[in-house]
Structures are given as C-alpha cells and as structure tokens.
Amino acid sequence: MPKFFIKTYGCQMNERDSEQVAHSLIARGYERVSCEADADVVLLNTCSVRDMAEQKALGKMGMLGRMAKSRPETVFGFLGCMAQARGAELLKEIPHLDLVVGTQKFHRVADYVDDLVTRKRDAAAAADRSLTRMDDLRFSTGPDYFGVVDVEEEVGSQSTIRDQSLAPKQATAFVSIMQGCNMHCTFCIVPRTRGAERSRTISEIVSEVRALVARGVKEVTLLGQIVNLYGRHAFPSVAAVAGRGPSISPFVQLLEAVSAVEGLERLRFTSPHPIGFRDDLIDAFSRLPKLAEHVHLPLQSGSNRILKAMHRTYTAEKYLQLVGKIRGARPGIAITTDIIVGFPGETDSDYKMSRDLVEHLQFDNAFVFRYSPRRETSAATMPDQIEESVKEARNQDLLGIINASTRRANEKLVGTRVEVLCEGPSKTNPARLMGRTRTNKVVVFEARENRIGKTFDVAIERANGFSLYGQPID
C-alpha cells in the first residue's frame, strides 16, 4: 500500500485536522512515514493567519518540485486554510500540485488520494510500457485531468473531525468541538477560511472523550476558534441549579459533561474570546476540579482605540477586570495571551498602553505577533500601515517584558512540588522525559519508561527559560 507524509503548519486545530486525515488514510491501509522522500503521497496542511505561514508552506511545496520530477507518480496536496482561501489558483501556480482541499472537506481527502494514486500509477505504468519520459503526469494523463480542488462548504462538516490514531501510551489528546467563527475581527482571515460557527452536539463530544479515555488518554483539550462561545446559536442555556447563580451556557454544560467522564484526569480548552468568558464559566473554575488551572485569553492590544479598530468588542479595563475574576476563582491559575503589535494606526502611545498592561498583568507567557496584512480583511486596506522596522522593534521590546514575566512565574515554583502528567521524551533532549503541570508549564526530568502516560509529583529544582527541571517523587 502507498506511504503518506503529512506536515502541519499553524495552530492546534490544524494539528487535530491532520490527525483526522492521517487516521482515515491509515484505516485504508496507507502507511505513515516521517520523511517526504519516503512517501507516495505528500500532504501539507496549511495556515493563513499570517503571511509567513503561507510562505513557508508555498516554499516547502516549491522545493518538492525536484521530487516530483524524479518521481512523477507521487501525489502532492495542499489542505486547510490556505487551500481554502486560494483554491484553484494554487494548481495554476504550482505545476506538480495535484490536490487542493479546504477546511470543511478533510473527511474527503482519503477518497481523493485513492483516486489520484490510482490514476498516476496507471499513467506511470502506461508511460513505462511506451518507453516515453513523463515530465509532468498531471498534464500527461489526458484532457480530463487537471487536479482536484474541493473548497466548497459542507453541512455537518463540524462532526467529521472525530477520529484519531493514538501513539502508544499517548496521555493527551485534542478534541474538536466546533468549526468557524462569527466574530469578524478586522485583522483575521479565519471567518473566510473556516466559515461560520458550527458546533457538534454534547453527546458526540462526550462519546469521543470516553473512547479516548478508554484508550489511555488522561487529559483532553477542547478546541474551537472561539471555544467558549460553543453552541451559542444551536443549543439553549439552562437555568442554574435551584435558580442560584447565572444561567449555564452550552459551553459550561459541555465542560460539566466532559468532566463527568470517569477516568479523565484533566480538562483544558483553547482558545476563548474575552466576551464569552461570563460568570458561569468563571464559576466553573471554582467547582470543576478536573478543569486545569490555565487559561489562554487573547488580549491583542491594551489600547481601547486599537481594540475598537480590531472589532474586539471589549476594553482594556474590562479585560483587566476579567483577569481579576479568573484569578479570584482559582488561586494560582496561569494566564497566557496573544498580542498583536503594529496594527494599522498603532501609535507609540497605543503601543505603550499594551506594554503597560502586559507588565501590570504579569502573564505566565504570551505569543507576540507582528501585524500581518491578510487579503480580504478590512485591516489590510486601513490607512496608516506600520513600517516593518517599527513592528519588529515593538515585537522585541514586548518579548523582553513577556520573557521576564515568564521567568518570574517559573522561578516561583523552584523548591515546590507540582503535579505532572508525563507525555514522553523531551523534544530538546530525548534522553530525558517531559510532562506538563496543571498550569501548562513544561517540566523535564530523568527518564524511566514506566512513567510515560502517568501522573505524579515532581520536586522542582531549577527553572531555565521556559522549562522547569526536577526529580519525580515516587
């Protein structure tokens, strides 16, 4: 059977989509390989959030052109957000590209790959028999072959990301609970590439979590573009028990249902929107013990003027108040964030507001992005675009603030004991093991095979950069 290679660019949702594609191919007998040179099918699952992510994927596919010339029967495909945004134009730009599949059609990939593998192998066999040289099978297989493009919307596609292949002793897993976004932030291409909000049912999601736990998974992360607004247009809120407290949103109902799965130890979610972080969700952190002590809460800017231009629908003051409520509900909770610098019209004063708010809040970590214009977003055509040199200077300055804050948060844990779920070998040192605390901090410790997939305490001895180091307490 053919071998396939899949490389993923971008977010955790893209990683989860890739695993669905991999599962569907493996179910048909395909073998997954770790190097494109060994593959009969090469798939790149793409991201469009920033221009750099698109350029990386395009550059990678361009370099694969050499492989296409020496092995013309190989199938090459783009999947995901960039495929959705650019569609058929990608086939015109890249001669050896065979397949372009958008974000609502991952479940169709195996069918398309099967067909393309068969057609290209048949064409290669015919060419061998005729002793002719094929420079490009895509154009030598007849007038009806111009590659496959599928970027159409499909009703129910949110429920097709439900299967995944687990590695031995895999302790953590992502579960997709919704697709799409209705927020239309002016810098963001996601509503175009992912479509409108569509949510799976609670029963579907709980069934998937139960199946994962039965296979050894201890921690689940619920994924959605605006995850805490899950189900707002599809499912009703319910009254609080005995009429006390706020009504329970569909998302908190989901958290309660997943938390009740026997054998699940930890529950996380990403990424929420501040306007969806209501009192019922804050209360959930004080009453659901499986809900891990970490919230990734995108800020984007500390300037109200810039937040309004971004269409973020909250103010810096409301964000600050929200962080206070979250920290009050679960003492010791870690809060991380996303921040954009260099948004169109951002003045030195606007940037200073972001810098001051970040310094005041002392995030455990943050992703800082230089604003990247995305076509078909309103911010791309706004006046007063910021020079790249200014963006870079602000980016480096803010990273300095964030890195110092991260170091302080980690150093506070030196000399303490923390609960760690061991995920496997350390990425930077395979001779060691790594795991994560409930606050999502990476801990590295001595290797012992029987620790993988288990939860135990680690005595933290030192902090170095973004990682903690310690000794397991058996």
Side-chain angles (χ1 to χ4, degrees):
M1 291 297 292
K3 300 176 181 179
F4 75 95
F5 168 83
I6 185 166
K7 181 175 177 63
T8 307
Y9 298 86
C11 67
Q12 292 144 319
M13 293 183 71
N14 290 8
E15 294 283 357
R16 179 66 189 90
D17 294 336
S18 291
E19 286 307 308
Q20 179 66 44
V21 171
H23 180 276
S24 64
L25 289 170
I26 291 169
R28 297 189 182 208
Y30 286 67
E31 178 186 349
R32 188 171 189 171
V33 294
S34 58
C35 178
E36 63 266 26
D38 299 327
D40 304 293
V41 178
V42 179
L43 303 172
L44 305 184
N45 191 8
T46 59
C47 174
S48 279
V49 170
R50 292 183 293 161
D51 183 64
M52 183 180 296
E54 286 198 4
Q55 295 308 316
K56 283 183 178 179
L58 289 167
K60 178 70 171 178
M61 188 61 78
M63 288 189 292
L64 292 170
R66 294 191 295 270
M67 178 177 166
K69 287 183 178 180
S70 62
R71 294 172 51 193
E73 71 279 9
T74 305
V75 172
F76 297 92
F78 271 139
L79 314 177
C81 291
M82 187 179 73
Q84 183 73 40
R86 297 198 177 194
E89 73 179 64
L90 290 167
L91 286 183
K92 299 175 183 177
E93 294 174 3
I94 303 173
H96 60 278
L97 186 63
D98 302 291
L99 180 63
V100 178
V101 177
T103 56
Q104 298 188 33
K105 297 300 181 77
F106 290 108
H107 57 294
R108 306 285 184 196
V109 171
D111 288 334
Y112 294 140
V113 166
D114 269 350
D115 181 55
L116 287 164
V117 166
T118 299
R119 280 198 275 165
K120 296 193 84 170
R121 283 186 171 181
D122 288 348
D128 286 342
R129 286 194 297 271
S130 64
L131 301 178
T132 60
R133 169 69 181 169
M134 292 183 304
D135 291 323
D136 188 349
L137 267 177
R138 216 179 90 203
F139 296 108
S140 66
T141 51
D144 295 327
Y145 182 83
F146 295 98
V148 176
V149 178
D150 190 352
V151 294
E152 300 302 315
E153 293 183 5
E154 182 165 335
V155 175
S157 63
Q158 71 273 18
S159 296
T160 63
I161 309 299
R162 59 176 182 264
D163 303 310
Q164 51 189 302
S165 299
L166 299 180
K169 297 185 179 181
Q170 183 172 326
T172 66
F174 295 117
V175 173
S176 176
I177 69 170
M178 63 185 293
Q179 290 181 343
C181 179
N182 292 358
M183 298 307 295
H184 296 283
C185 298
T186 58
F187 55 81
C188 186
I189 196 174
V190 166
R192 165 155 161 65
T193 60
R194 290 275 179 179
E197 294 169 26
R198 304 166 321 279
S199 298
R200 300 172 66 190
T201 65
I202 289 177
S203 61
E204 283 180 6
I205 297 163
V206 170
S207 293
E208 182 177 343
V209 172
R210 282 202 186 105
L212 289 169
V213 171
R215 296 164 67 188
V217 168
K218 305 290 182 63
E219 174 185 297
V220 159
T221 301
L222 305 180
L223 296 180
Q225 204 64 48
I226 41 171
V227 68
N228 55 334
L229 293 177
Y230 159 87
R232 61 173 171 163
H233 300 304
F235 313 123
S237 296
V238 299
V241 176
R244 295 192 299 271
S247 61
I248 309 300
S249 66
F251 181 61
V252 174
Q253 294 173 49
L254 174 63
L255 293 179
E256 292 173 341
V258 173
S259 290
V261 173
E262 187 175 350
L264 181 70
E265 295 183 5
R266 294 180 180 179
L267 176 60
R268 304 184 188 273
F269 59 85
T270 197
S271 283
H273 193 293
I275 70 160
F277 228 105
R278 298 174 183 136
D279 288 344
D280 66 324
L281 179 51
I282 295 170
D283 180 61
F285 276 94
S286 64
R287 62 184 178 82
L288 297 179
K290 292 183 183 180
L291 197 54
E293 294 87 346
H294 171 232
V295 172
H296 187 74
L297 190 65
L299 169 62
Q300 307 302 8
S301 176
S303 162
N304 290 340
R305 189 179 71 85
I306 296 299
L307 287 171
K308 185 176 181 180
M310 290 177 167
H311 193 224
R312 289 295 289 175
T313 65
Y314 55 86
T315 63
E317 291 78 16
K318 287 183 178 178
Y319 185 96
L320 180 61
Q321 183 182 40
L322 175 58
V323 170
K325 287 183 177 181
I326 294 170
R327 285 174 169 165
R330 186 75 74 89
I333 196 167
I335 298 181
T336 56
T337 195
D338 296 331
I339 304 159
I340 296 172
V341 296
F343 186 81
E346 183 186 65
T347 64
D348 288 342
S349 176
D350 291 319
Y351 169 67
K352 186 176 185 301
M353 292 177 188
S354 293
R355 190 184 195 279
D356 290 347
L357 186 56
V358 166
E359 198 154 26
H360 174 74
L361 286 171
Q362 290 293 294
F363 293 106
D364 288 69
N365 207 343
F367 297 105
V368 182
F369 303 99
R370 292 168 293 176
Y371 168 71
S372 177
R374 304 281 71 212
R375 61 181 181 174
E376 299 187 44
T377 63
S378 55
T381 57
M382 286 181 178
D384 301 320
Q385 298 284 326
I386 307 299
E387 292 182 5
E388 289 300 323
S389 59
V390 175
K391 293 180 189 178
E392 179 61 18
R394 292 174 181 172
N395 180 70
Q396 293 302 320
D397 179 60
L398 197 58
L399 279 175
I401 302 295
I402 294 295
N403 291 343
S405 178
T406 300
R407 283 194 299 272
R408 284 192 290 270
N410 284 346
E411 286 166 0
K412 288 178 183 177
L413 295 175
V414 175
T416 69
R417 291 171 56 160
V418 296
E419 180 191 280
V420 171
L421 174 58
C422 182
E423 297 180 14
S426 167
K427 292 180 180 179
T428 57
N429 182 2
R432 311 276 283 176
L433 293 176
M434 62 77 61
R436 292 180 189 272
T437 68
R438 291 179 61 89
T439 56
N440 207 39
K441 292 178 171 57
V442 173
V443 181
V444 180
F445 43 88
E446 68 178 21
R448 195 182 327 172
E449 184 67 21
N450 62 2
R451 289 193 177 117
I452 298 176
K454 295 185 178 180
T455 304
F456 46 84
D457 284 354
V458 174
I460 302 301
E461 298 175 339
R462 63 187 178 93
N464 181 15
F466 297 101
S467 297
L468 300 165
Y469 298 83
Q471 292 295 329
I473 301 172
D474 294 319

